[in-house]
Amino acid sequence: MANAHPGNAHPDDNCLEKDFSNQVINGKISGNSSGYNDANGDPLTRLRTAGSVNISPELFEKLYLSPESRVKGELRKTFGNPTPIALVGFLLSLTPLSCDLMGWRGAGGNGAASTGVFFFFGGMLMILGSIGEWIIGNTFPFVVFGTFGAFWATFGATLVPWFNAYGAYVTDPTVAATWMGNPGNPAGLEVPAFNASMICLVFLICSLRTNIAFFVIFFTLVCAFGCLAGAYFNFALVYENATNVAAATRAGRLVVAGGAFTFVTSLAGWYIFFAIMLASLDFPLQVPVGDLSTMIKGASERVKGGSKV
């Protein structure tokens, strides 16, 4: 909803407010830069000419993937929304990896073909998005994006021979520098995968205050990392005993299952990205993400509600 006079907005309002009142035209400041008649009721005209535009809690949660928190200053009115660029880095890294894990069209190699993608899309874009979220005071997405940015950079590093992540486990010089050299390597990869599932479990619980699509992302990631941890454990059993056919079969199935879960994660992520971009442009078509921030009340809201009673 637009207010004709920005001064009417109370500083304690629950909506984020952006100021469009002062527009510069030919070196002069004008309150109406569109040149259109406000009476025509056009939403874009109202957006351009209004003194301020209030963003509802539902829209804020969709744009920033976090319930609105009170922060000092007006950085959210000054800087662009960093959430979409972090999502781009996440999705362009996870989508091809999920296809590799499922073995589509013969893909595999732990996603080695996408090593550069993991560094520059997954690592760089997500860390930049995390810094942006930190600047504007959005703690939850700041932690999520920073965590996954570091994850993608770390995962990419394990695929670069210079880091010797595989070669350090090779006991036979005739064996190439791969994890085939020693069961300690897949067993070692099991631990980070398990830890990733634990941090995603924490994010999953916290996402109950965001939206359904974000909840689906973390739910499927918990399942995916759990499957991959189990797969690495079984791979280690195979390398200890090459005749352990049952472990080899389980490992292969768990890798494919992990890829299937991450593929669902990607679909939910692309959906959120599409919804955010439409909302950012005030597009006539809006895509719902299943807002949960108004359904599951925060602790401070419950305290306020109790005090009013």
Side-chain angles (χ1 to χ4, degrees):
M1 177 178 178
N3 296 327
H5 301 285
N8 293 342
H10 193 275
D12 293 332
D13 287 343
N14 290 326
C15 298
L16 176 67
E17 187 176 281
K18 288 185 178 287
D19 188 4
F20 294 93
S21 59
N22 294 327
Q23 306 289 342
V24 179
I25 304 176
N26 296 327
K28 297 182 180 180
I29 297 179
S30 172
N32 185 348
S33 64
S34 64
Y36 292 100
N37 186 356
D38 293 349
N40 62 12
D42 177 65
L44 183 57
T45 301
R46 290 199 301 271
L47 177 65
R48 289 172 175 170
T49 60
S52 63
V53 176
N54 289 333
I55 298 180
S56 66
E58 294 84 0
L59 180 56
F60 183 94
E61 183 277 323
K62 178 190 288 188
L63 290 171
Y64 295 99
L65 300 179
S66 175
E68 183 180 358
S69 58
R70 296 191 178 278
V71 294
K72 293 183 179 181
E74 299 183 349
L75 293 178
R76 288 171 181 165
K77 305 178 187 179
T78 305
F79 294 100
N81 182 7
T83 304
I85 196 64
L87 283 176
V88 167
F90 178 74
L91 295 171
L92 291 182
S93 299
L94 185 64
T95 304
L97 178 61
S98 63
C99 296
D100 289 337
L101 293 175
M102 290 187 290
W104 282 11
R105 300 284 296 173
N110 266 5
S114 301
T115 301
V117 174
F118 299 148
F119 277 113
F120 296 106
F121 277 101
M124 187 174 70
L125 287 188
M126 293 205 73
I127 290 175
L128 288 176
S130 173
I131 294 173
E133 298 286 0
W134 170 68
I135 290 174
I136 62 178
N138 294 334
T139 302
F140 183 54
F142 153 63
V143 175
V144 171
F145 295 153
T147 300
F148 279 99
F151 166 80
W152 286 120
T154 303
F155 183 71
T158 63
L159 301 174
V160 177
W162 185 81
F163 286 93
N164 205 34
Y166 294 155
Y169 291 87
V170 175
T171 55
D172 185 354
T174 62
V175 178
T178 67
W179 68 355
M180 298 291 290
N182 191 294
N185 185 271
L189 291 174
E190 167 199 350
V191 178
F194 177 77
N195 290 337
S197 68
M198 291 295 99
I199 190 65
C200 284
L201 180 61
V202 175
F203 291 156
L204 173 67
I205 296 172
C206 295
S207 68
L208 289 170
R209 283 276 290 140
T210 59
N211 58 64
I212 294 175
F214 214 30
F215 178 86
V216 170
I217 284 178
F218 292 118
F219 177 78
T220 51
L221 282 176
V222 169
C223 298
F225 281 120
C227 288
L228 293 177
Y232 289 132
F233 176 79
N234 281 277
F235 276 131
L237 294 179
V238 173
Y239 299 144
E240 289 174 351
N241 180 9
T243 62
N244 194 339
V245 179
T249 302
R250 282 195 305 269
R253 290 176 178 175
L254 285 170
V255 169
V256 174
F261 277 118
T262 55
F263 188 74
V264 176
T265 304
S266 300
L267 293 179
W270 284 114
Y271 182 86
I272 289 181
F273 175 71
F274 182 55
I276 291 177
M277 294 307 296
L278 291 180
S280 299
L281 295 172
D282 193 30
F283 203 78
L285 171 66
Q286 293 296 308
V287 178
V289 293
D291 176 52
L292 297 174
S293 62
T294 56
M295 296 181 59
I296 301 178
K297 301 294 184 182
S300 58
E301 293 178 88
R302 292 178 182 272
V303 170
K304 290 180 180 179
S307 62
K308 290 180 180 179
V309 174

